[in-house]
Amino acid sequence: LMRSELVALPDGRWEATDYLDNDGITDTALPIKVALEVSGDRLILDFAGTAPVTAGPVNIALPTAVATAYVAIKHIFPDLPANAGVMRPIDVRVPAGSLLSAEFPAPVGGYTETILRMIDVIFSAVAQAAPDRVVANAYGTINALSIAGKRANGQPWVMFSFFGGGHGGSPVSDGLNHGNAPISTATIPPMEILEAAYPVMFRQWALRPDSAGPGAHRGGLGAIYEIEVLEESAEAFLFGERGRFAPQGVVDGAPGAMNNFRYEQSDGWHQPPLASKMLGIKLSKGQAVRLETPGGGGYGAARDRAPEAVARDVALGYLTSEAATEAYGSEWQEVTP
């Protein structure tokens, strides 16, 4: 079955590159590259040129990299069964010493961010060969956020959670707004559960306007979360991505908005020096952290989006009128959503 799917693809070689913001220690962008080669009923995914093993925890082990390639393949060929035979015609080549083939004692705690980027580059490469089979990049980060402290009675508390964002536009529809990461069955904890369990209050939990990547089928919207501390003090950390490299569109679709994290101090709001990662954020009672998560990339050229769809997005508050006109022109103003 897998071989029959591959034979239906055109023979050729296509390349894609994307980047991790940094490893959380050194502020250097980390390329993840893939060359997709189809020849008859064989497929090669070659990750030569990917960044070397890092000191920060964005590395993954080779079995994880191969499993991630399988996840991407399963999305691209959704009718195939989930079994080992699917991978027999596929050669996943990962260079030794790269951050995709880390060995002990390299740190791997931030593996989710890297496997999401692997899937993104595979989709971007396949989009050049078979655009009808892929979606644009999803928001690409789980934004692992921890806020911890002690209650008035001395009892320690730790709130650790992850957050959603926009999924990529597809050949047939806009991307999902505020979706879960497309790599597991885990779901975003409800705000009410988090507020009941921990001394925090959500000032805001909302869709993020103007975050969707423009396209014939736009990406999904990211979200805004603003979380205030209710105890006297707390400490926070964030391990995220997409603070410097936006989720990419495909087939001439535009990128979604980048991740934006800020934290409140006595002198106002601040941003992490590493954009998407920071340890040791000291918070006092009444201070907050704010996450504005990425939107999904767009599918197809923005000029091909129906003006009625643009007008509907403006009416729903998904787009401001200024952003709509900049991305899609002014024709939407002449129609009824």
Side-chain angles (χ1 to χ4, degrees):
L1 288 172
M2 183 73 248
R3 291 181 193 279
S4 68
E5 294 278 6
L6 294 177
V7 167
L9 298 179
D11 286 358
R13 178 183 171 91
W14 300 270
E15 298 181 0
T17 303
D18 209 332
Y19 298 85
L20 297 171
D21 294 340
N22 48 60
D23 69 350
I25 295 176
T26 303
D27 196 10
T28 301
L30 303 169
I32 295 180
K33 297 185 177 182
V34 69
L36 169 80
E37 187 171 336
V38 178
S39 179
D41 63 356
R42 299 287 302 175
L43 170 66
I44 298 172
L45 292 170
D46 188 348
F47 291 90
T50 293
V53 170
T54 68
V58 295
N59 305 291
I60 62 176
L62 179 58
T64 305
V66 175
T68 301
Y70 171 75
V71 171
I73 293 298
K74 191 69 177 72
H75 278 290
I76 295 163
F77 305 102
D79 295 332
L80 290 174
N83 62 38
V86 169
M87 294 301 286
R88 285 180 193 152
I90 300 172
D91 184 6
V92 181
R93 300 177 181 177
V94 179
S98 77
L99 62 81
L100 304 182
S101 59
E103 298 180 356
F104 181 85
V108 295
Y111 70 97
T112 53
E113 307 303 304
T114 305
I115 64 179
L116 286 167
R117 200 64 66 256
M118 266 190 76
I119 293 172
D120 286 343
V121 294
I122 293 172
F123 278 18
S124 293
V126 173
Q128 301 169 54
D132 58 319
R133 289 185 174 269
V134 298
V135 297
N137 291 177
Y139 63 105
T141 175
I142 68 168
N143 273 325
L145 174 69
S146 171
I147 307 175
K150 288 188 176 181
R151 300 181 189 271
N153 63 5
Q155 181 183 12
W157 61 277
V158 180
M159 186 192 90
F160 180 85
S161 189
F162 51 89
F163 298 89
H167 284 224
S170 82
V172 296
S173 67
D174 294 339
L176 178 68
N177 295 333
H178 187 223
N180 293 288
I183 54 170
S184 75
T185 57
T187 56
I188 304 161
M191 172 183 67
E192 294 83 359
I193 297 297
L194 295 173
E195 288 187 335
Y198 307 106
V200 299
M201 178 182 69
F202 280 79
R203 295 177 182 171
Q204 191 170 4
W205 176 299
L207 294 178
R208 180 186 178 188
D210 297 339
S211 59
H217 294 130
R218 61 160 174 77
L221 274 70
I224 301 172
Y225 310 90
E226 192 168 308
I227 310 167
E228 180 180 328
V229 172
L230 301 181
E231 287 287 359
E232 290 303 315
S233 64
E235 184 170 315
F237 80 75
L238 176 75
F239 196 92
E241 267 296 330
R242 288 298 192 197
R244 292 191 173 138
F245 299 94
Q248 294 300 298
V250 296
V251 198
D252 294 329
M258 289 188 290
N259 210 11
N260 184 19
F261 175 72
R262 292 182 287 166
Y263 58 97
E264 200 171 15
Q265 302 284 270
S266 58
D267 60 346
W269 289 91
H270 297 256
Q271 291 184 294
L274 297 181
S276 55
K277 304 173 183 70
M278 189 169 181
L279 294 169
I281 303 169
K282 305 292 185 181
L283 299 168
S284 299
K285 184 176 183 178
Q287 292 177 345
V289 295
R290 180 182 174 92
L291 264 174
E292 297 180 7
T293 67
Y299 186 101
R303 63 178 177 274
D304 294 331
R305 185 164 179 81
E308 294 81 4
V310 179
R312 182 177 66 248
D313 285 347
V314 173
L316 291 170
Y318 294 171
L319 269 175
T320 60
S321 57
E322 296 81 9
T325 300
E326 180 179 353
Y328 298 103
S330 59
E331 291 84 357
W332 67 270
Q333 300 177 21
E334 301 169 8
V335 301
T336 301

